[in-house]
C-alpha cells in the first residue's frame, strides 16, 4: 500500500529523461546508504514533485525495502529537508569559493555568476528543489532557503562594500540584485544552452553586473551612495 503523499505539495518541471529503478543493493555502510537514499529521493522529487512522490517510489529507485528507507529517514518531508540543506549549502560553498579564490573584484563577480550557472546546470537538476519548490510556504523549507540566500548575499555584499565604499544596507541591496540576476538568467539560459555557451552567458552577465557596480561613486572620492 502506498504512503499518502501528505498535505504539502510542489509543482516542478519534469526532466527530459526518465530514470530506471535501481536493482536491490547489498548491505552498505550507514553513510554510503544515506547518500544513496538521498540521490534516489532527488531523482523522484525532481521527476514527480513532492506531492506526487511516495516513499515506495524512493525505496524502489534506491533498490531497498521501505523499512531500510525508514531506518534513515522517518518520512518524506525529512528526506526533502535533508536534500534542501545539502544543495543550499552547495550553492553557498560555490559562491564562497568564488569570493575567496581571488582578490580581483571583477573576477569575483564573474565567479559568482558562474557559480549560479554551474549549480543550475549540474546533473540531477537539484536547483529545482531550491528555486522552484512550492514548499516555500513551509516554515522549515523557507528558513533553509532564506538562510542559504543570506549567506550568498552577505559574501557578495562584503566585496561590493570594499569596492565601492557603500554602506552595509546598500551593499546588501546590490548583492541581492546580483544574485537575482545570476539565478534568473541561468534558469532562462538552461534550456537554450545549445545556442549560447555557458562561458559566453557568464561573461555577458558578468560584464553587465560589473559595469553597474564599478560605475558607482566611491565614498573615498567624496561621493555618497544613495544621495
Amino acid at each position: 500500500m502506498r504512503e499518502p503523499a501528505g498535505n504539502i505539495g510542489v509543482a516542478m518541471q519534469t526532466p527530459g529523461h526518465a530514470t530506471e529503478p535501481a536493482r536491490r543493493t547489498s548491505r552498505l555502510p550507514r553513510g554510503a546508504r544515506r547518500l544513496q537514499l538521498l540521490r534516489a529521493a532527488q531523482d523522484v522529487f525532481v521527476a514527480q514533485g513532492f506531492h506526487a512522490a511516495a516513499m515506495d517510489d524512493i525505496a524502489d529507485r534506491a533498490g531497498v525495502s521501505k523499512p531500510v528507507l525508514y531506518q534513515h529517514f522517518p518520512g518524506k518531508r525529512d528526506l526533502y529537508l535533508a536534500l534542501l540543506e545539502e544543495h543550499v549549502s552547495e550553492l553557498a560553498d560555490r559562491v564562497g569559493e568564488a569570493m575567496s579564490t581571488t582578490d580581483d573584484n571583477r573576477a569575483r563577480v564573474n565567479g559568482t555568476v558562474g557559480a549560479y550557472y554551474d549549480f543550475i546546470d549540474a546533473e540531477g537538476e537539484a536547483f529545482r528543489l531550491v528555486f522552484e519548490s512550492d514548499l516555500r510556504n513551509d516554515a522549515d523549507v523557507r528558513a533553509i532557503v532564506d538562510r542559504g540566500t543570506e549567506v550568498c548575499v552577505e559574501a557578495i555584499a562584503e566585496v561590493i562594500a570594499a569596492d565601492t565604499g557603500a554602506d552595509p544596507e546598500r551593499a546588501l541591496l546590490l548583492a541581492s540584485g546580483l544574485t537575482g540576476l545570476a539565478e534568473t538568467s541561468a534558469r532562462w539560459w538552461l534550456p537554450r544552452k545549445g545556442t549560447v555557451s555557458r562561458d559566453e552567458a557568464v561573461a555577458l552577465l558578468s560584464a553587465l553586473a560589473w559595469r553597474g557596480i564599478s560605475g558607482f561613486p566611491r565614498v573615498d572620492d567624496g561621493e555618497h551612495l544613495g544621495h
Side-chain angles (χ1 to χ4, degrees), residues 55-77:
M55 292 293 270
D56 303 79
D57 301 322
I58 296 168
D60 287 346
R61 181 72 186 91
V64 301
S65 65
K66 279 183 68 176
V68 169
L69 180 56
Y70 280 114
Q71 285 174 8
H72 293 264
F73 298 97
K76 186 172 64 170
R77 184 173 178 275

Side-chain angles (χ1 to χ4, degrees), residues 187-203:
R187 289 169 60 191
W188 180 91
W189 163 83
L190 185 63
R192 301 170 177 85
K193 62 181 180 179
T195 303
V196 181
S197 72
R198 178 265 187 204
D199 289 346
E200 181 183 1
V202 170

